[in-house]
Amino acid sequence: AQTVTQSQPEMSVQEAETVTLSCTYDTSENNYYLFWYKQPPSRQMILVIRQEAYKQQNATENRFSVNFQKAAKSFSLKISDSQLGDTAMYFCAFGDKIIFGKGTRLHILP
Amino acid sequence: DAGITQSPRHKVTETGTPVTLRCHQTENHRYMYWYRQDPGHGLRLIHYSYGVKDTDKGEVSDGYSVSRSKTEDFLLTLESATSSQTSVYFCAISGQGGLYARYFGPGTRLTVL
């Protein structure tokens, strides 16, 4: 069965710092996509970044980047120069039916 | 933002009553999905559709049925609502399905008393 594990239920960092959210997954598939979604207090699910498993180059979207280690089945999200608006729940997800982790609640402190 | 709306946005109902939630898209995407979100569980897939009249079950499909008679609409029905179905329900769409990203609607908060 495919599973996704986010080992950090909650994190807090100071504004402007860099923070890394962890995600590991388990699958027997060879080709798949991985995603990070953000859910702010408004409850809207927002796609932050995605990574294609067959690409070795890590995806980057402005201040957001991933560290994808396929052999280790690890897919962490790095947020640089964190901002107050980054406060949200962050969900790691992957697979053709998109299996979600349970989320990491991130607080950016002023 | 992807053109996805959900109705109603909030609903309170009683145990044993039927409930239908509607998802409407204006993107002409082939794939549509229903998820539920509960504390401690993240999002879990209920049902999905890969075309008009083509649907399949997800991880937590018991007690739910779906229908898709038009590309733009995907209905989720609780035939006889139970308190365990109190949740926030999200619809999502995808142009390619399978390996591709989902874009989510705003969610429906359902409370079953």
Side-chain angles (χ1 to χ4, degrees):
Chain A
Q2 297 178 327
T3 60
V4 180
T5 302
Q6 295 181 247
S7 59
Q8 305 147 312
E10 195 159 1
M11 300 179 70
S12 296
V13 296
Q14 295 295 135
E15 190 176 9
E17 290 184 348
T18 294
V19 59
T20 299
L21 281 58
S22 301
C23 174
T24 59
Y25 60 94
D26 189 25
T27 182
S28 58
E29 301 289 328
N30 190 49
N31 190 26
Y32 45 88
Y33 277 55
L34 299 120
F35 310 92
W36 278 97
Y37 282 88
K38 169 185 177 180
Q39 187 178 40
S42 66
R43 202 172 67 195
Q44 180 70 46
M45 291 290 289
I46 302 166
L47 178 65
V48 174
I49 198 166
R50 64 181 174 184
Q51 172 79 41
E52 300 169 41
Y54 66 89
K55 287 188 176 179
Q56 292 188 349
Q57 185 174 5
N58 289 324
T60 299
E61 290 286 343
N62 300 313
R63 296 183 296 107
F64 298 88
S65 61
V66 299
N67 182 8
F68 174 49
Q69 303 289 330
K70 189 173 183 180
K73 294 179 181 174
S74 170
F75 182 59
S76 61
L77 174 69
K78 185 172 83 171
I79 306 174
S80 303
D81 186 26
S82 57
Q83 301 174 358
L84 296 178
D86 295 333
T87 291
M89 281 288 287
Y90 286 82
F91 294 96
C92 177
F94 92 106
D96 60 346
K97 290 188 173 65
I98 297 219
I99 307 298
F100 282 82
K102 295 184 178 181
T104 295
R105 186 174 300 279
L106 178 64
H107 302 275
I108 307 300
L109 307 173
Chain B
D1 292 341
I4 314 170
T5 57
Q6 293 183 229
S7 59
R9 294 293 311 279
H10 302 271
K11 185 171 183 66
V12 179
T13 190
E14 294 187 349
T15 298
T17 60
V19 176
T20 295
L21 308 182
R22 180 181 182 239
C23 176
H24 179 78
Q25 60 147 328
T26 58
E27 305 295 321
N28 200 37
H29 280 350
R30 178 181 174 188
Y31 293 83
M32 299 185 75
Y33 308 82
W34 278 108
Y35 289 85
R36 60 178 290 174
Q37 183 178 26
D38 305 290
H41 287 280
L43 280 80
R44 293 179 291 174
L45 181 64
I46 304 171
H47 282 280
Y48 66 99
S49 169
Y50 46 95
V52 173
K53 291 185 170 45
D54 292 324
T55 65
D56 203 351
K57 296 179 179 180
E59 179 188 1
V60 289
S61 59
D62 287 348
Y64 301 94
S65 62
V66 290
S67 65
R68 191 169 179 201
S69 58
K70 299 185 290 185
T71 297
E72 57 266 36
D73 289 325
F74 192 33
L75 304 181
L76 177 71
T77 297
L78 292 65
E79 298 291 347
S80 177
T82 66
S83 58
S84 65
Q85 293 176 313
T86 292
S87 188
V88 179
Y89 291 86
F90 285 95
C91 174
I93 65 174
S94 174
Q96 302 292 335
L99 303 174
Y100 292 82
R102 313 306 195 250
Y103 296 94
F104 286 81
T108 294
R109 181 176 294 279
L110 175 67
T111 302
V112 184
L113 301 176

